[in-house]
Amino acid sequence: MQFSGSDRNGRLLIAGAAAAIAAVMVLVLIAGFRLATQIRASVGALQRTSSLQTYPAVISQQLTALRQRLGTLEYTGHVHRELARTVQNFNRRLSGVERRNLDPAAVRHAERLWQNYTPVLAPVLAFSGEPYDDTDTGSSLSASGRKYYDEVRQAGIFAQGNAPVLHSELAAVSAALQARTSAAAARLRTLLLAGVLAVLLLALAAAYLQLSRARQQRAAREAQDQTRDILKTVREGFFLLDADYRIGAVWSEALTHLFGRSDFKGLAFEELLRDKVPADTLATAVKYIKLLWGERARENLMKSINPLGQLEVSMDNGRGGKESRFLQFDFHRVMGPKGVKHVLCAVGDITSSVLLARELQEAQENAHSQLDMMIGMLHADPLQVSAFLDSAAAGLKHVNTIMKEPARTDGEFRKKLAGLSRELHSIKGEASALSLMSVAERVHHLEDMVAELKAKSDLTGNDFLPVVLKLDELLAHLRGVREMTARLVSLKEGPAGEGTASLPQLRIGDAEAPQAGRPVRATVDLGALLEQLAGKLASDHGKQFRLTLTGLGEVPAGYLDTVKDCAIQMLRNAAVHGIEACETRRTAAKPEIGEVRLEFRRLEAGYEFVFHDDGAGLSPEALKEAAVRKNVITAEEAAALDNRAALALIFRPGFSTRDSISMDAGRGTGMDLVARAVYGLGGKIGVSTNPGRFTRFKITLPAAGAASAVA
Amino acid sequence: MGAAESSGRRQFRLLIVDDSNIMRRRIERSQRFEELEVVGTAGDGLEALELARRTDPDLVTMDLTMPQMDGIECISRLIAMKPSLRILVISALSDKATAVQAMEQGANGFLHKPFTDRQLNDAIAELIS
Amino acid sequence: MLREEELKTFVDGTTRYFEVAAQQPATIGSPYLLEGDLAVHDYTGVISVSGKREGVVYFTAPRAMLTVLLMKMQESDFSHENMRDLVGEVANTISGNARKDFGHDFVISVPSVLTGDKPEIPRKAGMRSFVIPINWRSHSAKLVVSLT
């Protein structure tokens, strides 16, 4: 646009120069023609005036000749006629002198002088007839002849006297004429020279303009080429909207790909989006576009209210179907002298970034899918699941109670973490024992969040927002599990077994939930649960072992939760850390199938709970090394520990020999929880091991509190 | 304009529309412009229309979420009454479509709640420039 | 189900309100799920939400906190009426700001203000409520988001 303007200017300049050349030439020609005409007239006049100069002398001579002839009585007729002709000619020529270009005074002077001739010449010229009287004695002048002679003589004397004066007057006139003529000639020369110069200058100017115009045009062409290249290769769709909200003649190639069409010229903006976005979105978009033309709104306000910053459009996918794309529109107003001239629109395809964000979110939400839930539950005993759900609800209620503790400082927030971990860990244990992997994974995820918070400094309430949301989601999931269980039960038992209604409905906030604080959790068939967990652990970790359970029926109600939590944790540890892979066992000359024993027995005073596996055992050195690596103790402290003390490291909080965290082990919150639970009941825990042979935990619990122990 | 006789410098007559008293006073207090004279405050759309009829303001600050008649409708009625009226929407509604709708009805500017004194002054300055 | 960004919209809106209106940002305390009835403070501004989402958003604050907030806003009128006005305006601003993320279909009501310690807050059965304590200076208020 800019280029065409200056191009027009350039063309105008050149046309102006050409016109100026023509005008100068016309002027020069006219002036030259007039000068030439003048010169020609002057030259004619000069010739005539020059010829006049001879007349006074000629008249004088002719008068003298006439007088002599009269004196010698010779024939005078022809001389008289010549004189008359001369006078007549002179008269005519003198009056015919071009006075226009002459000094009129000089001419008048000559005329006056000539007029003086008239009275003298007139009688001479008036004479006619024969001046002689011819007699036999000879001839003599007649009377009229004598008078004629006298007149001729007088005229001769007059002419002789006056001829030089008249001649010089006429010569002066002639000289003036000549001067004038040469001046005109000089003017003509100057004029021609000036004309030629002017034309030359103008021609030069025109040539320069032409040259610079050509340069400009080349630059403009290059710019146009560049613009075209840009429009061809730029990844955004660019176009201009005119005041009728229609697309202009130029747009970038990308627009074609974005909208799958190429007939953009004159297309209304509304049509561009019609059928691609919902009607109300289209209406808002059109309103916005109209507002862009208004003078009311300033640029940054308009930018801030752009409703097309992330527009979902539905496009033909070229295979007869539709696909969703996300476009980002930016609008810039192009101002002209009379307000907004165009609106430049830039359209980008942000589908991939939007979809990426969506995928992340969906990946999280996909955890909602009920399939994994169902698969897990098909194996589980509904009654066990139901008991677990009650226990989990109670546990999560406790989690929420921990969350609810007011907190403002990092310390207050941090204080919650240990309790949250413990509670979540035991719920996860139970869930995986029942193969409710959908639940276990969610709790695991929540546990991960809590673990991340432990590593974070300066905890604030914001850090706990994801936790409370995940907690909410977990609760919703548990509700789903409960409904599913009910459905499964009704399926298994048929319409007659409407036992579903009798399943306790537990939700946080429901009045029938167990009382606040740490509630007594419901009884689960511990043996079945552990066997199920063992099978699952074995298959998950590629281990083979046999689980022998003894005396679980002896576990008093008050200890059931603790025994369950401990057993799950120790079983997990045995399966992950203790029992070796078959290969290893074979090389070590051990039975390929490992052995895990859990014995519970009543003692005289209290109870004893022994957990034994014939796995790899614990290596004090490896434990120390791991503890140092985890910053549980320093290297110096480690060096000072004897074997007994080294073994006790596994009861320290934050300890784990595994570096990677899996569902079953590695977070390091395992044995410390077991120990804490046991101490909480006033019991004791001990460990003995023989590296390469076995690990054995021995827990003793007091008799008191067995019936009503509440942690 | 109308108020020229009162001080000579106060050229603009301002009507404040917001259902919160606190917010009305806040706007009233923050306008330190010599050129402004507050001619009225209204708590809902209907009251605003009535007051506008009586006081003939040049500028209006307009809340959107209000009882009786909401701000969007009030804007369109006010503009129908006096097309030259300049309206600054001051609302918590932060979606683009609402802003577009308000502008379409004739609003000239948009200020989001909550705002600082400076933001308010800038927005009003923009409105009267 | 409420997503994290969505909950954050309300939380950020609230802390920002204090930052802009009273030149001192609020921080949030430990969020939790509402069990039973909420122990509300003296004044509660309730916004009903309809359209794309349904439910309520409310902001409940003690008189002392509102008094300081009013002072910070250069108000000198600490009447009951002004307290109601303020708590309603806070609730309105927080909910209105959320439209930026929820969109135009997130329709919010004009605030209704409840006082006393046992106000009837409309609640949909089975709808989970998130309670977010709002700490500002030495005071504590609560933001409750209960949306489908």
Side-chain angles (χ1 to χ4, degrees):
Chain A
M1 293 149 276
Q2 248 183 334
F3 301 115
S4 71
S6 75
D7 189 43
R8 198 169 52 230
N9 285 347
R11 229 180 288 174
L12 273 177
L13 272 173
I14 289 169
I21 291 177
V24 166
M25 282 169 78
V26 166
L27 278 175
V28 166
L29 279 176
I30 289 174
F33 182 75
R34 284 181 62 180
L35 272 175
T37 314
Q38 198 185 330
I39 289 169
R40 205 182 58 158
S42 300
V43 168
L46 185 60
Q47 273 172 356
R48 281 192 296 277
T49 321
S50 301
S51 70
L52 277 178
Q53 284 176 51
T54 56
Y55 278 80
V58 170
I59 287 168
S60 182
Q61 278 161 20
Q62 282 172 341
L63 280 170
T64 307
L66 194 60
R67 185 175 56 80
Q68 281 169 353
R69 277 188 181 263
L70 282 171
T72 54
L73 306 176
E74 277 175 272
Y75 178 64
T76 57
H78 64 288
V79 180
H80 182 96
R81 279 194 298 278
E82 271 174 28
L83 177 67
R85 205 161 44 243
T86 306
V87 170
Q88 196 185 355
N89 279 349
F90 186 65
N91 245 334
R92 201 181 66 238
R93 290 204 177 173
L94 186 61
S95 63
V97 162
E98 196 71 59
R99 255 153 261 239
R100 202 160 16 129
N101 299 321
L102 283 174
D103 178 7
V107 180
R108 267 202 303 279
H109 203 210
E111 274 175 339
R112 220 176 295 125
L113 275 175
W114 176 245
Q115 272 162 17
N116 292 341
Y117 271 68
T118 314
V120 202
L121 282 177
V124 175
L125 294 175
F127 178 79
S128 64
E130 189 59 41
Y132 304 116
D133 282 334
D134 283 333
T135 62
D136 294 343
T137 55
S139 300
S140 63
L141 287 166
S142 63
S144 61
R146 271 194 304 277
K147 189 172 172 266
Y148 181 44
Y149 178 82
D150 284 342
E151 284 159 355
V152 168
R153 192 175 52 88
Q154 275 170 14
I157 291 163
F158 181 84
Q160 204 126 39
N162 282 290
V165 184
L166 183 57
H167 177 266
S168 70
E169 279 301 326
L170 288 168
V173 168
S174 169
L177 259 176
Q178 196 159 16
R180 191 149 297 232
T181 309
S182 23
R187 268 212 302 284
L188 181 61
R189 216 167 35 240
T190 316
L191 177 75
L192 284 175
L193 215 68
V196 165
L197 261 175
V199 165
L200 261 175
L201 277 174
L202 282 168
L204 268 174
Y208 172 77
L209 282 172
Q210 176 69 34
L211 213 71
S212 69
R213 181 173 159 239
R215 238 195 334 259
Q216 251 177 18
Q217 274 176 336
R218 204 166 48 241
R221 233 187 347 264
E222 271 167 25
Q224 270 169 6
D225 283 351
Q226 285 174 7
T227 308
R228 201 170 40 244
D229 286 348
I230 290 170
L231 287 178
K232 207 181 282 178
T233 49
V234 73
R235 291 179 57 192
E236 265 124 352
F238 282 109
F239 58 90
L240 287 171
L241 283 179
D242 62 19
D244 298 324
Y245 324 125
R246 289 180 183 281
I247 296 176
V250 182
W251 57 84
S252 67
E253 195 95 345
L255 202 62
T256 316
H257 305 309
L258 283 173
F259 288 92
R261 64 197 293 176
S262 50
D263 55 333
F264 294 111
K265 187 170 180 169
L267 189 72
F269 186 78
E270 192 173 359
E271 295 307 316
L272 187 66
L273 293 180
R274 188 183 295 286
D275 300 330
K276 294 187 172 64
V277 299
D280 55 341
T281 307
L282 184 63
T284 301
V286 170
K287 280 179 198 166
Y288 177 75
I289 297 289
K290 286 182 181 163
L291 282 174
L292 282 169
W293 258 270
E295 301 298 319
R296 259 203 325 269
R298 65 208 147 85
E299 184 85 15
N300 45 0
L301 175 68
M302 288 312 292
K303 212 175 267 303
S304 74
I305 66 170
N306 176 11
L308 305 180
Q310 180 182 316
L311 185 67
E312 182 169 8
V313 294
S314 120
M315 298 285 195
D316 295 326
N317 62 4
R319 298 179 296 277
K322 294 268 184 190
E323 66 177 4
S324 222
R325 296 252 286 279
F326 292 88
L327 300 182
Q328 179 174 32
F329 284 80
D330 274 313
F331 299 94
H332 306 272
R333 293 191 279 191
V334 181
M335 304 302 287
K338 284 173 293 202
V340 181
K341 196 167 131 205
H342 296 286
V343 167
L344 172 64
C345 305
V347 197
D349 190 331
I350 51 166
T351 308
S352 53
S353 61
V354 173
L355 286 187
L356 191 67
R358 288 238 168 135
E359 264 169 37
L360 281 174
Q361 191 191 319
E362 270 164 20
Q364 283 174 3
E365 280 172 7
N366 264 349
H368 277 287
S369 100
Q370 296 198 321
L371 194 65
D372 59 337
M373 189 204 295
M374 280 186 61
I375 291 169
M377 287 173 46
L378 281 173
H379 306 292
D381 172 0
L383 282 175
Q384 274 186 29
V385 171
S386 165
F388 160 73
L389 289 173
D390 294 346
S391 138
L396 291 179
K397 187 176 168 70
H398 190 223
V399 165
N400 196 41
T401 307
I402 297 173
M403 290 291 283
K404 197 172 169 180
E405 283 299 315
R408 282 185 178 229
T409 61
D410 174 68
E412 285 164 345
F413 281 113
R414 203 164 292 282
K415 218 167 67 190
K416 298 168 185 284
L417 297 177
L420 291 175
S421 285
R422 257 198 305 282
E423 201 61 62
L424 292 169
H425 197 76
S426 45
I427 297 171
K428 184 177 81 175
E430 287 178 44
S432 45
L434 283 172
S435 290
L436 290 173
M437 295 322 291
S438 65
V439 177
E441 272 161 21
R442 279 174 176 75
V443 185
H444 184 68
H445 189 184
L446 199 44
E447 227 186 329
D448 270 344
M449 287 179 170
V450 175
E452 273 168 33
L453 292 185
K454 280 184 186 164
K456 199 174 175 290
S457 56
D458 293 331
L459 292 177
T460 68
N462 275 308
D463 298 318
F464 284 81
L465 285 177
V467 176
V468 76
L469 281 156
K470 194 77 198 165
L471 178 62
D472 178 47
E473 196 219 305
L474 178 59
L475 284 163
H477 182 72
L478 289 178
R479 274 202 300 280
V481 172
R482 188 181 294 279
E483 279 158 24
M484 191 73 71
T485 312
R487 234 176 292 163
L488 284 174
V489 167
S490 68
L491 274 178
K492 279 180 186 168
E493 296 182 353
E498 288 289 333
T500 52
S502 67
L503 286 171
Q505 297 280 319
L506 279 185
R507 276 207 312 254
I508 283 188
D510 286 352
E512 61 268 45
Q515 70 271 29
R518 189 67 175 88
V520 176
R521 291 177 7 205
T523 315
V524 175
D525 180 350
L526 190 54
L529 189 139
L530 291 175
E531 265 162 24
Q532 206 166 1
L533 177 62
K536 186 175 172 324
L537 287 168
S539 76
D540 281 359
H541 296 275
K543 306 286 179 68
Q544 289 191 29
F545 62 90
R546 192 180 301 115
L547 176 66
T548 317
L549 302 168
T550 323
L552 283 184
E554 300 285 324
V555 181
Y559 288 159
L560 198 57
D561 278 351
T562 309
V563 169
K564 183 177 75 181
D565 290 349
C566 296
I568 288 171
Q569 188 58 47
M570 291 186 291
L571 181 57
R572 225 186 283 149
N573 282 348
V576 179
H577 305 292
I579 304 295
E580 311 91 328
C582 296
E583 204 100 327
T584 322
R585 290 180 69 89
R586 210 178 308 132
T587 353
K590 291 165 85 169
E592 274 186 32
I593 296 180
E595 193 168 344
V596 178
R597 282 200 315 269
L598 195 159
E599 293 154 6
F600 193 91
R601 65 180 74 92
R602 186 194 288 267
L603 301 179
E604 277 168 36
Y607 302 88
E608 184 182 68
F609 175 18
V610 175
F611 188 93
H612 173 98
D613 73 72
D614 70 341
L618 298 168
S619 147
E621 289 311 312
L623 291 176
K624 284 197 229 177
E625 211 177 289
V628 171
R629 201 170 54 241
K630 299 274 170 178
N631 292 324
V632 175
I633 54 169
T634 64
E636 294 77 49
E637 286 169 332
L641 293 178
D642 60 12
N643 282 356
R644 239 182 106 78
L647 286 181
L649 282 173
I650 61 168
F651 301 120
R652 295 268 194 114
F655 178 84
S656 171
T657 53
R658 274 277 171 116
D659 285 326
S660 66
I661 292 172
S662 75
M663 281 286 290
D664 298 313
R667 204 186 301 287
T669 43
M671 289 315 294
D672 62 321
L673 293 181
V674 170
R676 201 188 295 253
V678 170
Y679 299 148
L681 296 178
K684 278 188 263 179
I685 184 165
V687 59
S688 56
T689 182
N690 188 344
R693 310 309 314 173
F694 71 88
T695 309
R696 176 184 293 146
F697 292 96
K698 192 160 136 189
I699 295 167
T700 50
L701 296 167
S708 60
V710 175
Chain B
M1 292 183 192
E5 64 275 10
S6 65
S7 81
R9 293 189 62 191
R10 298 189 163 181
Q11 303 158 349
F12 295 100
R13 301 163 62 82
L14 174 66
L15 172 64
I16 299 173
V17 187
D18 200 303
D19 62 340
S20 159
N21 268 315
I22 295 173
M23 206 45 74
R24 290 204 295 267
R25 278 199 293 274
R26 175 94 212 279
I27 296 168
E28 213 168 340
R29 233 188 350 259
S30 295
Q31 50 90 14
R32 305 194 184 100
F33 297 90
E34 293 287 306
E35 309 99 297
L36 289 183
E37 181 198 16
V38 177
V39 295
T41 57
D44 64 65
L46 283 180
E47 200 186 337
L49 287 182
E50 173 58 32
L51 259 177
R53 239 175 248 122
R54 283 216 313 268
T55 60
D56 185 33
D58 309 305
L59 307 177
V60 176
T61 70
M62 177 70 67
D63 189 12
L64 292 184
T65 314
M66 291 184 299
Q68 307 291 342
M69 179 192 288
D70 71 16
I72 297 280
E73 189 181 345
C74 189
I75 291 174
S76 78
R77 296 237 196 149
L78 283 174
I79 288 290
M81 215 154 86
K82 182 175 180 181
S84 68
L85 200 60
R86 284 187 244 173
I87 300 176
L88 173 66
V89 174
I90 302 184
S91 167
L93 297 182
S94 54
D95 62 302
K96 312 266 163 86
T98 298
V100 170
Q101 208 182 346
M103 300 290 295
E104 192 215 3
Q105 294 302 327
N108 300 72
F110 209 105
L111 177 64
H112 287 298
K113 287 181 189 173
F115 52 82
T116 60
D117 286 353
R118 197 205 160 99
Q119 287 167 331
L120 176 64
N121 287 343
D122 287 352
I124 292 180
E126 184 96 39
L127 194 67
I128 60 180
S129 66
Chain C
M1 190 162 289
L2 214 56
R3 294 203 314 267
E4 185 180 345
E5 314 85 85
E6 294 173 338
L7 188 56
K8 248 184 122 34
T9 297
F10 291 102
V11 172
D12 293 346
T14 312
T15 54
R16 204 174 143 261
Y17 183 89
F18 282 89
E19 183 172 3
V20 176
Q23 304 93 47
Q24 184 173 352
T27 58
I28 73 162
S30 180
Y32 58 94
L33 297 168
L34 180 60
E35 303 174 39
D37 288 327
L38 180 74
V40 293
H41 298 290
D42 306 325
Y43 292 91
T44 306
V46 184
I47 303 288
S48 304
V49 177
S50 56
K52 186 178 175 186
R53 299 299 185 99
E54 304 231 334
V56 289
V57 172
Y58 53 97
F59 176 76
T60 178
R63 174 177 262 278
M65 184 192 216
L66 295 176
T67 307
V68 183
L69 188 54
L70 280 174
M71 271 156 48
K72 281 274 174 182
M73 294 169 90
Q74 289 151 37
E75 283 281 317
S76 50
D77 172 4
F78 305 118
S79 66
H80 181 63
E81 265 318 303
N82 236 21
M83 298 281 170
R84 291 176 57 96
D85 189 332
L86 178 61
V87 86
E89 187 61 23
V90 175
N92 168 56
T93 305
I94 296 166
S95 319
N97 284 179
R99 269 220 211 179
K100 196 163 98 195
D101 293 310
F102 286 93
H104 197 53
D105 302 335
F106 186 81
V107 183
I108 62 169
S109 70
V110 292
S112 60
V113 178
L114 309 168
T115 50
D117 56 351
K118 281 255 180 281
E120 288 277 314
I121 293 169
R123 229 178 114 193
K124 250 192 171 174
M127 200 184 293
R128 183 87 52 203
S129 302
F130 292 90
V131 183
I132 297 120
I134 304 294
N135 300 321
W136 186 68
R137 298 165 76 97
S138 62
H139 307 282
S140 200
K142 287 189 195 93
L143 170 72
V144 181
V145 180
S146 183
L147 293 174
T148 49

